[in-house]
Amino acid sequence: MPAVPRPARPSRAFEAQEGVKDLIVRRGLVAGDPLPTESELMEELQVSRNSIREALKALQAVGIVDIRHGFGMFVGRMSLAGLVDELAFHSRITMQNGKNHLAHLVEIREILERGLVQRLIDLGSETDLAPVADVMARMDAEAETGLVSPETDRLFHDLLYRPLGNPLVSQLLGAFWDVYYQLRDHLGTPDEPPGDVAKRHRDIYTAVLAGDGPAAAAAVTAHFDGVRNRLARLGDRTY
């Protein structure tokens, strides 16, 4: 019977990465808190300077460590920037067919938002939608001039779900939005009239305000129809 190969021993740099993460947890550090210096980490973790630097570089790449040259090292703030870049790149290289990664992301976001509007309705009187009303007025004014800006569109969704008190919602929706925005030049010109864009957002807002779950879910689906129509045209394009 052949011998079972032994698992490879983790590199010193990987051990240093785990050591830094464990140190952050053990000391109860949070985003923005200062970290020990390189020399202090070397002494505490008993690893070389090269291993520490390699570890810190890897942790910086995933947002766990924030290195500010001239100021020091800090616990990083959660960011989905790396995920956004990866999703945007792979969505771009799969645009040759009608079922690309971006279409899948749109489907996931739609499912997420259908659930989120129901959560808002469940909150009932606790939901303050006054800021959303202000954004709707701004969106209507922009539609009259011929273009609803991406910033206003994004702000609508951000403020709509803010009463849920879940910061990850804003980050996830923002990541989906950033992927879509990075690919805007590859998607062609929107074919939805600005007035229709404003109306679809208003339908979501009024349904949530009325506490009508089925109408809110239907309005979310209708909102994403315009995106799906743009993606459906990609199959006819040559790259």
Side-chain angles (χ1 to χ4, degrees):
M1 183 176 179
V4 177
R6 294 181 179 179
R9 185 180 184 278
S11 69
R12 295 295 286 166
F14 177 80
E15 290 179 347
Q17 288 182 50
E18 296 304 304
V20 172
K21 289 190 286 186
D22 183 61
L23 179 147
I24 292 170
V25 173
R26 282 190 290 104
R27 296 190 180 183
L29 303 180
V30 297
D33 284 348
L35 288 171
T37 65
E38 277 189 6
S39 297
E40 290 169 339
L41 289 172
M42 288 168 54
E43 182 176 350
E44 178 154 348
L45 302 179
Q46 292 298 294
V47 293
S48 69
R49 187 175 299 276
N50 285 342
S51 294
I52 280 292
R53 288 184 173 176
E54 188 176 340
L56 292 172
K57 185 176 180 180
L59 293 174
Q60 182 183 32
V62 295
I64 294 176
V65 169
D66 178 16
I67 301 175
R68 306 174 199 170
H69 296 290
F71 294 93
M73 299 183 295
F74 304 83
V75 180
R77 301 185 184 279
M78 191 176 71
S79 171
L80 300 180
L83 176 65
V84 167
D85 288 342
E86 185 174 352
L87 287 174
F89 174 74
H90 286 286
S91 294
R92 182 178 177 186
I93 64 176
T94 58
M95 280 184 175
Q96 288 85 348
N97 56 72
K99 293 190 176 183
N100 54 69
H101 286 349
L102 187 55
H104 299 154
L105 283 175
V106 169
E107 180 182 17
I108 293 171
R109 181 178 166 186
E110 179 187 341
I111 293 170
L112 177 61
E113 293 209 39
R114 283 169 65 98
L116 291 173
V117 292
Q118 185 58 57
R119 286 294 308 276
L120 281 172
I121 290 171
D122 292 342
L123 284 177
S125 59
E126 299 178 26
T127 307
D128 178 14
L129 296 181
V132 184
D134 293 338
V135 176
M136 273 310 319
R138 172 174 155 182
M139 186 176 291
D140 289 335
E142 290 181 352
E144 290 182 4
T145 65
L147 178 66
V148 173
S149 70
E151 293 76 18
T152 300
D153 191 328
R154 181 170 185 166
L155 184 60
F156 171 88
H157 295 273
D158 185 37
L159 293 179
L160 180 66
Y161 302 119
R162 192 165 291 180
L164 295 176
N166 187 335
L168 285 180
V169 168
S170 178
Q171 289 231 12
L172 285 171
L173 293 183
F176 290 146
W177 179 268
D178 288 339
V179 171
Y180 187 78
Y181 191 71
Q182 281 193 28
L183 298 173
R184 65 193 182 281
D185 293 336
H186 304 278
L187 295 174
T189 305
D191 55 3
E192 196 174 16
D196 289 354
V197 173
K199 180 183 182 303
R200 294 191 187 217
H201 286 82
R202 181 170 291 282
D203 287 345
I204 298 173
Y205 166 68
T206 55
V208 171
L209 201 62
D212 189 336
V220 169
T221 296
H223 168 61
F224 286 102
D225 282 343
V227 182
R228 277 186 287 269
N229 291 337
R230 292 180 75 181
L231 294 176
R233 300 201 309 264
L234 293 178
D236 300 328
R237 295 177 60 185
T238 301
Y239 291 84

